[in-house]
Amino acid sequence: MSLDFSHKEFRNLLHVAADEIADLYESLDQRKVFPDKTPEEIAKPYHQTLPDKGGDAESIIREAMKTISERSTWNISSRFFAYVTSCGHQAGILGDMLAAAINQNCGKWHIAPAAAEIEKTVVSWLADFTGLTSNYGGIITTGGSHANFTCLHAARDIALDRAGLTLKEGLHNLVIYGSTETHSCVDKSLSALGMGKDQFVKIQANSDCKIDLDKLEKKIVADKKQGLQPFCVVGNAGTVNTGAVDDLEALADLCEKHNLWFHVDGAYGAPAAATHLAPLFKGMDRCDSIAIDPHKWLYAPVEAGCALLKEPKLLRQVNSLLPPYLSADVEAGRMDYMEYGFQLSRGFKAFKLWLAFRIYGAQGFRDAISTNIHLMDEFKKQLAADDEFEVVGDSGLSVVCFRYRGENSGEDLDQLNRRLLERAEAKGEVFIGGTVLNDQFAFRICCVNHRVTQKDVDALLEHLREGGRELSLKKSA
C-alpha cells in the first residue's frame, strides 16, 4: 500500500502549506510574541488518543497551523530578543522543504552523492566566511552543542593517541580548561566523553567576562607538576551570557607554548569575524578546532551547526568504524560523513545553508550581522543617556545586559526587574531574557535577528519604561 497522495492532491496540499506559511509571515507584526495562554490551554489540542483512522489532509494542515500559531513563542518576530535564537530566513524554509522532499541520508556518499558534495562546499564556505584558512574542514552537525562535542571528542582522543595511552589508561588524568563563562554544552560534552567535573578546570573570568590568562597559565603549570595531563583550552568567541570574546591570540600562544589543543567555541560570535569587528577575533584562525552555529548568527532555521578542524582527517581517525554491512571500496574523492562524526543517518542540513549563501551572498550576511551590531550599539547609547536605565554588560557584539532603575535603588532593584520581566512575558508584546551579573539580576537581550529595526528597539525600551513606572507606582501606592 502506498501512502502517497495523487499528483493532483499533493500539488494542492503543497499550495495549502505554502499559503499557510505566507499568511504567517504576512501577519507576523500583528501577533503576540508570547502566547497569552496557560500551560493547560497550550496542551489541550495535542493531548489526544492515537488516531486509528486518518482524516482529511487539508483540514488537518489548516487546523494544525491555527492551533500552533496561537500557542507558539515567535522567535521569527522582530520583537524577539531572548537567548541566542535567530529568526531564521526564508531561503532556509525553502531549503528545508526541498531537502525533506529529496530525503537524502547523508551518511554515505554513494546514497547521497550530491548532498555530500554540497556539504563539503558549505563547510568550506563557513570556514572562509569566518576568516579561517582553506585547510579547515569538518562536518555539519545538529547545532553548536553537537559541534563542540564533535571537536572535543577529537581533542580527547588525539591527546591520548599522541601520549601513547589507551582510553582506559589515560582518561582519568586528562584536564581541560575554560573560563567560568564557558557554555554549559562543554560540561555536557565532557560528561558524555567520560570525564568528571573536576577534569574541567574553570578559570574565573575577569570583570570583562574574559578568561584570566595569568591564572590559566599558573593552573596549567601546577597541574603538570601534579602529574596531570592538560590537553585542551576552550576559548570563547562570544559568550552566551554577555557576548565576551576571549583574547584568542594570547590563548593560541599559550596553547602553542604548552602543546595543548586550542578549541574555540564560536557558536554565537564567530560570524561577526566577517564584519568590522574582525580584530576582536584575532588568533581564531590558529585554533585546532572551532564550533560554529549557523542557526544562530547566520539566521538558518534550526537545526544547523558545524564542527571545523585544522586537520579534518583527525575527525575520521577518531570516528571511523566500519562493520561489514557498511564497509565498501571507496573511490578517491568520495567522502562518507558517517566516518567523521557520531551519526550514521544524517539529514540534508547543508542544503538550506548552500541555498542561503547562493541567494543572499556572503555580503548579505555581513550586512545583516553588522546591522544587528549597530542597533545594539545605538541601544546602549540610548540606555546610557536615560536616567531610568543602566547598562551592566557590554561585549561589543550584539548582547546587551541592562537594568531598569527608575527612582529605585538598593536591593529592591532585583525584585523590580524580575517583576518587570514577568510583566513583559505576560503581555507578550516583546520577548526578552534575564541573567545575573556581579550578583545583580539584569535584563539580557541578544540581537541575532535580521528582521529587527530601530523601531523595534525603541518599542522595547518604551515597553520596559512603561512597565517599570507602572510597577513602581503600585509599590509606592
Side-chain angles (χ1 to χ4, degrees):
M1 171 192 164
S2 172
L3 297 175
D4 286 346
F5 303 104
S6 70
H7 295 313
K8 183 178 180 181
E9 288 174 319
F10 189 44
R11 188 177 295 276
N12 176 64
L13 292 173
L14 287 172
H15 284 297
V16 169
D19 286 342
E20 290 290 332
I21 294 169
D23 288 346
L24 168 62
Y25 277 83
E26 193 172 351
S27 63
L28 199 53
D29 289 346
Q30 286 76 53
R31 294 178 182 271
K32 286 196 169 187
V33 189
F34 188 79
D36 55 349
K37 297 183 184 299
T38 65
E40 292 75 19
E41 290 171 328
I42 297 289
K44 187 176 180 180
Y46 313 117
H47 289 190
Q48 304 168 353
T49 58
L50 173 67
D52 186 56
K53 294 184 178 180
D56 177 68
E58 180 174 342
S59 299
I60 292 169
I61 290 169
R62 293 193 187 280
E63 177 199 24
M65 283 299 288
K66 182 177 187 300
T67 62
I68 292 170
S69 66
E70 291 171 348
R71 291 165 171 78
S72 292
T73 301
W74 292 117
N75 60 294
I76 61 177
S77 168
S78 64
R79 289 166 285 130
F80 184 95
F81 294 93
Y83 306 104
V84 189
T85 300
S86 84
C87 58
H89 48 54
Q90 292 173 342
I93 296 173
L94 301 173
D96 270 345
M97 286 180 65
L98 294 169
I102 299 166
N103 193 32
Q104 296 292 281
N105 184 337
C106 303
K108 287 183 72 66
W109 188 96
H110 76 169
I111 59 171
E117 297 306 324
I118 285 174
E119 180 162 349
K120 193 183 298 183
T121 296
V122 166
V123 166
S124 172
W125 285 354
L126 288 170
D128 185 36
F129 185 82
T130 48
L132 303 175
T133 54
S134 59
N135 56 308
Y136 280 84
I139 187 170
I140 299 298
T141 65
T142 58
S145 295
H146 187 186
N148 275 296
F149 171 83
T150 301
C151 294
L152 294 173
H153 177 203
R156 183 200 69 174
D157 284 14
I158 295 305
L160 291 172
D161 182 66
R162 289 172 178 170
L165 298 171
T166 65
L167 192 63
K168 185 176 181 180
E169 292 169 333
L171 182 61
H172 69 283
N173 227 28
L174 295 177
V175 185
I176 186 171
Y177 305 85
S179 83
T180 47
E181 293 292 305
T182 302
H183 194 274
S184 59
C185 73
V186 173
D187 298 79
K188 287 187 174 183
S189 296
L190 296 176
S191 177
L193 291 168
M195 298 175 66
K197 291 182 179 179
D198 58 338
Q199 290 176 266
F200 181 19
V201 177
K202 296 182 181 180
I203 305 298
Q204 181 62 48
N206 290 322
S207 59
D208 59 3
C209 297
K210 301 178 182 181
I211 195 167
D212 188 314
L213 292 161
D214 289 336
K215 289 180 181 177
L216 171 61
E217 183 160 26
K218 287 177 182 176
K219 182 60 176 169
I220 291 170
V221 171
D223 285 346
K224 284 182 176 180
K225 288 180 179 178
Q226 291 291 321
L228 299 174
Q229 186 178 344
F231 78 100
C232 179
V233 173
V234 178
N236 289 307
T239 62
V240 165
N241 203 28
T242 66
V245 179
D246 288 331
D247 187 339
L248 302 177
E249 183 82 349
L251 286 177
D253 289 341
L254 185 148
C255 288
E256 190 175 293
K257 176 180 177 181
H258 292 278
N259 194 28
L260 305 177
W261 184 286
F262 179 30
H263 173 66
V264 172
D265 179 5
Y268 159 42
T275 72
H276 62 285
L277 294 183
L280 270 179
F281 299 88
K282 186 180 180 184
M284 189 168 76
D285 60 346
R286 295 171 59 192
C287 70
D288 294 288
S289 62
I290 180 170
I292 300 174
D293 206 348
H295 69 222
K296 288 187 169 68
W297 222 353
L298 285 171
Y299 314 106
V302 290
E303 299 169 339
C306 183
L308 290 167
L309 269 68
K310 184 179 290 184
E311 296 183 63
K313 65 181 181 181
L314 297 179
L315 281 176
R316 187 166 187 249
Q317 181 177 322
V318 303
N319 286 285
S320 183
L321 179 63
L322 292 174
Y325 52 85
L326 291 175
S327 61
D329 293 333
V330 177
E331 295 178 13
R334 291 188 178 191
M335 187 168 180
D336 287 352
Y337 276 100
M338 68 173 193
E339 294 193 68
Y340 290 79
F342 176 78
Q343 289 179 283
L344 173 56
S345 296
R346 305 174 63 247
F348 194 6
K349 292 180 175 63
F351 191 39
K352 60 190 169 191
L353 306 178
W354 184 72
L355 275 185
F357 270 122
R358 295 193 63 197
I359 290 170
Y360 304 125
Q363 189 59 49
F365 286 116
R366 282 193 289 266
D367 289 344
I369 295 166
S370 295
T371 298
N372 289 161
I373 295 167
H374 172 73
L375 286 170
M376 292 299 96
D377 284 345
E378 291 301 308
F379 184 57
K380 284 178 282 190
K381 291 177 184 177
Q382 287 177 273
L383 293 170
D386 194 320
D387 292 338
E388 293 186 69
F389 294 90
E390 63 176 349
V391 177
V392 295
D394 180 4
S395 70
L397 295 185
S398 66
V399 174
V400 181
C401 299
F402 64 103
R403 286 154 62 90
Y404 177 78
R405 291 191 59 85
E407 297 179 356
N408 294 272
S409 61
E411 295 180 2
D412 287 345
L413 271 181
D414 272 12
Q415 184 181 3
L416 173 62
N417 280 271
R418 289 183 187 276
R419 289 168 58 214
L420 186 49
L421 182 63
E422 292 170 1
R423 177 187 181 275
E425 184 170 300
K427 285 188 170 293
E429 295 170 14
V430 297
F431 197 80
I432 60 175
T435 190
V436 175
L437 287 176
N438 302 318
D439 298 322
Q440 295 179 322
F441 179 80
F443 301 123
R444 177 196 163 280
I445 67 171
C446 179
C447 186
V448 285
N449 187 327
H450 60 83
R451 298 189 179 102
V452 172
T453 66
Q454 187 63 53
K455 180 180 176 181
D456 297 306
V457 177
D458 292 343
L460 168 65
L461 190 61
E462 287 309 308
H463 180 87
L464 294 174
R465 187 195 312 281
E466 176 188 309
R469 289 176 178 177
E470 177 187 304
L471 292 174
S472 297
L473 283 172
K474 284 182 180 179
K475 184 176 180 182
S476 61

